[in-house]
Amino acid sequence: MNATGVRDPQRVLFVDDRADNCHTARRLGLRTLHYISRPADLTATLQSPN
């Protein structure tokens, strides 16, 4: 994955508020999070158990 410098794309989490960008990233093999809440709450969202 040239853009990130990471060899394993599954180690990358792509976060975006646009579903089309997340779909594209997923097709490239990245893990994705379609996040549409407040940016200030992102850390809490990432730390909460699913």
Side-chain angles (χ1 to χ4, degrees):
M1 181 120 291
N2 293 337
T4 64
V6 176
R7 292 180 192 258
D8 180 6
Q10 283 294 304
R11 295 194 64 199
V12 176
L13 175 62
F14 179 84
V15 180
D16 203 293
D17 63 344
R18 291 184 46 186
D20 57 327
N21 288 342
C22 288
H23 291 298
T24 300
R26 193 172 302 117
R27 282 195 301 265
L28 293 172
L30 303 176
R31 294 179 306 133
T32 63
L33 173 61
H34 180 216
Y35 187 76
I36 56 173
S37 295
R38 296 177 345 145
D41 297 333
L42 182 58
T43 299
T45 299
L46 291 172
Q47 292 176 344
S48 69
N50 293 334

